[in-house]
Amino acid sequence: MRYAREQLIHRSERRAPIRAKRIDGKAVAEKVRSEVAADVKNWIAAGNPQPGLAVVLVGDDPASATYVRGKETATIEVGMYSETRKLPRDASQEELMEVVRELNADDRITGFLVQLPVPGHIDVDTVMHSIDPDKDVDGIHPFNMGLLLGGTPRLSPATPSGILRLLAEEGVDTSGKHVVICGRSNIVGRPLAALLLKRGEGGDATVTVCHSRTKDLGSFTRQADILVAAMGVPELITKDMVKPGAVVIDVGTVRVDDQSRERGWRLAGDMELDVRDVASLRTPVPGGVGPMTIAMLLKNVMQAARLAASGGSHQWDG
Ligand code: NAP
């Protein structure tokens, strides 16, 4: 009898952990890009001008340069016109503003963005606020941010939109769920919170936003049905900070030293790998949220093309 009981305990201790299902961001991104490619084809066939995306790159940050090359390739692949404007690291604020004015006035350019980060002497807000909100495919102009916060988004930042698309593809209903977002940046945390608060499909969530001043982060993350980490702090979220069965979305992407790799580094997310033993669904890093960003940006360019064709919907002269 005693033996049988010990056997039982032993077996239950050995029970395999949950092992979260891995969300394949690359596959979903590919699906989104083919949707955009079909959209572009039909759009042009209907007699509309070819949509165009421009990216402005200031300086020679290698990570930004790689990212911008990826955008160029993806833009051309979906049948859009692509343009990259490169400025030297010491370009002045006025030189950058002049490029923004040119792109605002250029009919070939449906949408454009200034790749961040820009060198420290540039006043980012002034530059961003001078982008025509109808061409603001990054969705960070105050006009677009305001609409998003008011619950009627039209051009939303690509990374949060990509997260919502991943959840939708996996059949995760956000309605009534408690979503805890770690990070309050203007490109991820804040707009994601606003999208999730929106009424209707993909929204209706109860949202908590945490940041670097949050006390006892784990007490919040453990309440999450859906946990999103967008802090850029490698592996800060450990498995004891995750509610069993939660859906976990890791946005963080930071290069960390790894001498076991030939190149000496690897990309780390904000969550340690062991969270997969507790969560039900998880995005990997890389290959999770990352590939979605460019795909959703291209979707925004099509959205901007439709806005332009309808004469634009804003009265912004700021
Ligand atoms: P960010 O502007 O630096 O914002 C980071 C946020 O995390 C801030 O709100 C900060 O709080 C918060 N934070 C930092 N340390 C924290 C801590 N210990 N506890 C709780 N909160 C903390 O970063 P971001 O631009 O949003 O990017 C975040 C990460 O996502 C980066 O690794 C970035 O590379 C990655 N990212 C990936 C994609 C993609 O496509 N995959 C897109 C965008 C960003 P405070 O506000 O109090 O400072």
Side-chain angles (χ1 to χ4, degrees):
M1 180 68 184
R2 190 162 157 237
Y3 173 77
R5 195 162 162 261
E6 272 165 10
Q7 284 266 304
L8 256 175
I9 292 167
H10 199 60
R11 245 185 260 141
S12 70
E13 275 170 0
R14 275 190 318 197
R15 201 186 304 140
I18 293 179
R19 270 300 146 97
K21 183 186 162 207
R22 190 174 170 279
I23 300 175
D24 188 348
K26 270 193 197 161
V28 180
E30 205 175 302
K31 184 173 169 188
V32 173
R33 287 198 307 271
S34 9
E35 286 167 13
V36 177
D39 207 3
V40 171
K41 205 170 157 198
N42 294 336
W43 180 255
I44 296 172
N48 295 296
Q50 181 189 31
L53 171 66
V55 176
V56 185
L57 182 60
V58 187
D60 45 18
D61 175 59
S64 292
T66 309
Y67 189 54
V68 167
R69 272 198 302 276
K71 276 180 192 158
E72 273 173 353
T73 311
T75 306
I76 294 165
E77 272 174 12
V78 297
M80 291 179 182
Y81 168 70
S82 168
E83 192 171 309
T84 303
R85 297 285 198 99
K86 289 186 182 151
L87 279 89
R89 164 158 262 290
D90 59 357
S92 68
Q93 171 96 15
E94 185 42 37
E95 283 170 301
L96 177 54
M97 295 288 277
E98 182 52 30
V99 171
V100 169
R101 280 192 288 270
E102 282 170 23
L103 294 171
N104 278 342
D106 189 339
D107 287 340
R108 278 173 313 172
I109 304 302
T110 318
F112 68 99
L113 59 98
V114 177
Q115 182 68 38
L116 298 176
V118 288
H121 64 277
I122 303 281
D123 175 1
V124 183
D125 284 347
T126 306
V127 175
M128 297 305 169
H129 296 183
S130 64
I131 295 174
D132 179 343
D134 283 351
K135 293 192 176 191
D136 168 39
V137 284
D138 249 356
I140 53 172
H141 188 284
F143 184 81
N144 290 318
M145 283 282 225
L147 287 171
L148 172 60
L149 197 59
T152 55
R154 52 169 216 163
L155 287 169
S156 309
T159 304
S161 305
I163 293 171
L164 292 192
R165 176 68 188 255
L166 288 177
L167 293 175
E169 287 285 330
E170 292 295 334
V172 177
D173 185 7
T174 52
S175 178
K177 299 279 167 58
H178 186 188
V179 185
V180 176
I181 304 170
C182 302
R184 57 175 164 182
S185 75
N186 281 352
I187 58 162
V188 189
R190 265 171 221 266
L192 179 61
L195 284 169
L196 286 161
L197 282 175
K198 209 166 52 74
R199 288 179 198 276
E201 214 183 318
D204 286 334
T206 303
V207 184
T208 300
V209 182
C210 302
H211 45 79
S212 67
R213 301 299 173 100
T214 299
K215 291 198 167 69
D216 192 4
L217 188 65
S219 67
F220 294 96
T221 59
R222 274 188 289 275
Q223 293 176 39
D225 301 312
I226 301 170
L227 176 61
V228 182
M231 298 171 287
V233 184
E235 290 152 15
L236 181 78
I237 306 285
T238 50
K239 71 174 178 183
D240 59 302
M241 294 167 78
V242 177
K243 177 161 102 173
V247 174
V248 296
I249 305 290
D250 195 349
V251 187
T253 324
V254 177
R255 267 189 195 195
V256 293
D257 286 343
D258 185 346
Q259 295 312 320
S260 71
R261 313 262 172 129
E262 205 176 310
R263 60 189 177 190
W265 59 270
R266 68 183 165 90
L267 281 183
D270 285 350
M271 300 187 180
E272 66 167 14
L273 190 58
D274 281 0
V275 302
R276 68 183 175 185
D277 296 344
V278 184
S280 58
L281 265 177
R282 68 164 186 114
T283 56
V285 175
V289 176
M292 291 301 292
T293 299
I294 293 180
M296 299 310 284
L297 174 72
L298 297 172
K299 249 194 180 312
N300 269 355
V301 178
M302 276 314 296
Q303 167 80 351
R306 292 200 167 84
L307 270 177
S310 64
S313 58
H314 71 91
Q315 295 296 319
W316 182 268
D317 59 6

